[in-house]
Amino acid sequence: MKHLLPIAMKAQASGGSERAYLIQLLPDPAGQVREYMTLFEIVATLLSLSALFSYINARFIGLPTSIAVMAFSLAFSLVLVGINYLGGQDLTRWAEQLIAQVDLSETLLNGLLSFLLFAGALHVNLDDLADQKWLVALLATLGVVVTTFLVGCAMWLVLGWLTIPLPFIYCLLFGAVVAPTDPVAVLAILKSVDTPRALSTKIAGESLFNDGVAVVMFIAILGIAQGDREATFQGIGLLFLEEVVGGLVLGFVLGWVGYYLLRGLDNYQVEILVTIALVAGGYALASRLHMSGPLAVVVAGLMIGNHGRRYAMSEKTERQLDTFWELIDEVLNAVLFLLIGLEVLIVTFELPVLLAGLAAIPLVLLARLVAVGVPVMALKPFQEHTSSSILALTWGGLKGGISVALALTLPAGPERDLILPMAYAVVVFSILFQGLTVKRFLGRAAAE
């Protein structure tokens, strides 16, 4: 142990990341340097913890599963930190090694997200979505842009007041990180709350589509910050066209191909396998073509869940398909929220950064209120909305794993060390506090 330099010093000296050094250098309980855990060990550990926390919640507490799993994993992480201070470094290092090796950013953005988005889109009624298309479109585009700039400008002022140096372009980047409402978190909460159909469609529809726009904003601003992209309307427009429009078109093609294949047989085992291939292969293809994988999977899921369900599935296939994807959704949700809670083990919170994260929470909510209120008021002559529905859309716009994953993709440096903890603070508040209280806001909207 005495020959191991501190992780941060080594990462800084070599230009690498803390995560890479956690994987390479942390010892196992036997005291031997261990480079990695096997894939089976990682999966077994994550599933075991998810099952344990889910069982305790279902047996004794009764909270929404996703919120409970995250709360338990967050508490578990804090206990490990306490054990570390009491001399139990081996257990803490093992947990840090696990989180470092999993890599939430890679696991979510290039793994879990495709299956979770498809499972969510599969149960969204296309006719209901068409009724709310203009509001959903405005929230998923204009809402993301407004949130990004409002949060970025506000945080630039706040960080200046706290004497924390962060260039304005990186403040905008933080705005892009926290701008999207997380479809995984939102859909998980909506399942446990009795929500009016129209309001549920608005919230779910926005969350399914806005992350594609947010990723474009994130890529564009990061490219400008690093000097790899010019801040021109043409450049950002081409990026938007390639990512967003390309993803929508690819999703339509994938959905049509999936529908055609399902229509040609009546074997639910094979049909389920086709949908799995559609999700995994379609997401991988979109990434290879530099198109939005999330948008492609959402459009494909909407087509299979609506047109495919009506004209290409028998009742038995529909029942088995729904059961399978609901199970996939529940299991992957539990694992994802477990990872979000455990991620605190590799997030560094110093007092100034913690204050900045706490300040970011109300600012993000205020920006969200404006981003929701502007489109709603613009559409008021054509579609009636109440003040309670605006508050429900604001409070129900939960942040989640996508924000943390985007922050984790930032290159190692002082900007990442500031943006990641602030994003994590916003996400934890959003899921634990907004998630547990959103039922009240949705109930008010239902009563009017």
Side-chain angles (χ1 to χ4, degrees):
M1 283 295 294
K2 63 182 179 180
H3 67 281
L4 298 181
L5 295 176
I7 292 172
M9 292 176 61
K10 278 201 160 187
Q12 183 178 7
S14 64
S17 67
E18 294 91 335
R19 185 182 296 275
Y21 279 94
L22 283 169
I23 295 174
Q24 296 171 13
L25 301 179
L26 290 174
D28 65 13
Q32 302 295 322
V33 174
R34 183 178 185 182
E35 294 186 355
Y36 60 91
M37 296 174 66
T38 66
L39 177 61
F40 182 79
E41 288 175 327
I42 293 173
V43 173
T45 301
L46 294 178
L47 288 177
S48 298
L49 289 174
S50 299
L52 174 63
F53 296 155
S54 297
Y55 176 83
I56 293 174
N57 174 65
R59 183 71 175 82
F60 302 106
I61 302 176
L63 292 174
T65 302
S66 55
I67 295 178
V69 169
M70 179 179 167
F72 276 120
S73 62
L74 190 60
F76 179 67
S77 300
L78 296 178
V79 169
L80 289 179
V81 172
I83 291 175
N84 180 65
Y85 282 109
L86 295 176
Q89 290 87 354
D90 289 339
L91 181 60
T92 305
R93 290 192 186 98
W94 167 82
E96 290 175 340
Q97 182 187 14
L98 171 67
I99 298 305
Q101 214 175 320
V102 169
D103 191 348
L104 177 62
S105 176
E106 180 70 20
T107 301
L108 176 58
L109 295 179
N110 294 319
L112 299 182
L113 185 60
S114 58
F115 293 94
L116 290 167
L117 286 175
F118 184 84
L122 203 61
H123 296 93
V124 174
N125 187 287
L126 201 55
D127 293 332
D128 292 341
L129 187 61
D131 291 338
Q132 308 295 335
K133 59 182 180 295
W134 295 116
L135 180 60
V136 169
L138 286 175
L139 291 176
T141 53
L142 180 63
V144 171
V145 176
V146 169
T147 302
T148 297
F149 280 91
L150 287 180
V151 172
C153 293
M155 287 308 300
W156 185 69
L157 295 174
V158 169
L159 292 175
W161 181 72
L162 292 172
T163 66
I164 299 176
L166 187 67
F168 179 71
I169 190 66
Y170 280 97
C171 291
L172 288 179
L173 191 63
F174 172 72
V177 165
V178 298
T181 59
D182 190 280
V184 180
V186 169
L187 295 175
I189 299 302
L190 287 178
K191 288 180 182 179
S192 61
V193 179
D194 186 16
T195 312
R197 191 168 182 174
L199 181 59
S200 177
T201 301
K202 296 170 190 174
I203 297 174
E206 178 202 2
S207 67
L208 287 171
F209 285 100
N210 70 358
D211 47 309
V213 178
V215 169
V216 173
M217 289 287 295
F218 178 83
I219 293 173
I221 296 174
L222 181 60
I224 294 170
Q226 295 182 323
D228 299 329
R229 187 181 302 276
E230 294 184 3
T232 62
F233 179 80
Q234 181 180 5
I236 296 175
L238 288 175
L239 179 64
F240 181 89
L241 186 67
E242 181 182 15
E243 287 275 346
V244 176
V245 179
L248 293 173
V249 172
L250 178 61
F252 178 81
V253 173
L254 291 172
W256 185 88
V257 171
Y259 163 75
Y260 179 81
L261 293 175
L262 295 179
R263 191 181 62 175
L265 73 161
D266 185 16
N267 184 317
Y268 76 84
Q269 294 97 332
V270 177
E271 291 178 79
I272 290 174
L273 186 59
V274 167
T275 60
I276 295 173
L278 184 71
V279 174
Y283 199 93
L285 178 62
S287 299
R288 179 64 63 179
L289 297 176
H290 302 290
M291 298 176 180
S292 174
L295 289 177
V297 170
V298 166
V299 173
L302 288 172
M303 292 185 65
I304 297 299
N306 288 270
H307 200 63
R309 190 186 298 273
R310 293 173 185 170
Y311 305 113
M313 299 181 195
S314 64
E315 291 185 7
K316 183 177 182 180
T317 295
E318 182 178 351
R319 184 171 62 253
Q320 296 291 343
L321 189 73
D322 284 342
T323 300
F324 172 81
W325 280 104
E326 285 172 5
L327 179 61
I328 289 293
D329 189 36
E330 290 295 328
V331 173
L332 294 186
N333 255 316
V335 172
L336 173 59
F337 282 90
L338 172 75
L339 288 173
I340 294 175
L342 293 176
E343 196 73 24
V344 73
L345 289 169
I346 62 171
V347 177
T348 302
F349 286 97
E350 298 178 353
L351 182 58
V353 177
L354 179 60
L355 292 176
L358 294 176
I361 293 171
L363 294 178
V364 171
L365 284 172
L366 287 173
R368 169 70 180 171
L369 180 61
V370 174
V372 168
V374 170
V376 167
M377 296 306 294
L379 293 175
K380 193 171 183 179
F382 312 100
Q383 194 172 23
E384 185 177 354
H385 298 277
T386 64
S387 58
S388 294
S389 66
I390 294 176
L391 291 176
L393 284 167
T394 300
W395 198 252
L398 305 183
K399 315 301 179 183
I402 288 179
S403 294
V404 177
L406 288 176
L408 286 168
T409 62
L410 294 172
E415 295 84 7
R416 180 182 184 273
D417 294 340
L418 179 57
I419 290 175
L420 177 57
M422 291 195 303
Y424 195 84
V426 171
V427 168
V428 169
F429 175 87
S430 181
I431 294 176
L432 293 185
F433 291 93
Q434 290 178 240
L436 288 174
T437 57
V438 70
K439 185 176 182 179
R440 299 179 183 178
F441 290 89
L442 296 178
R444 290 180 186 177
E448 293 186 357

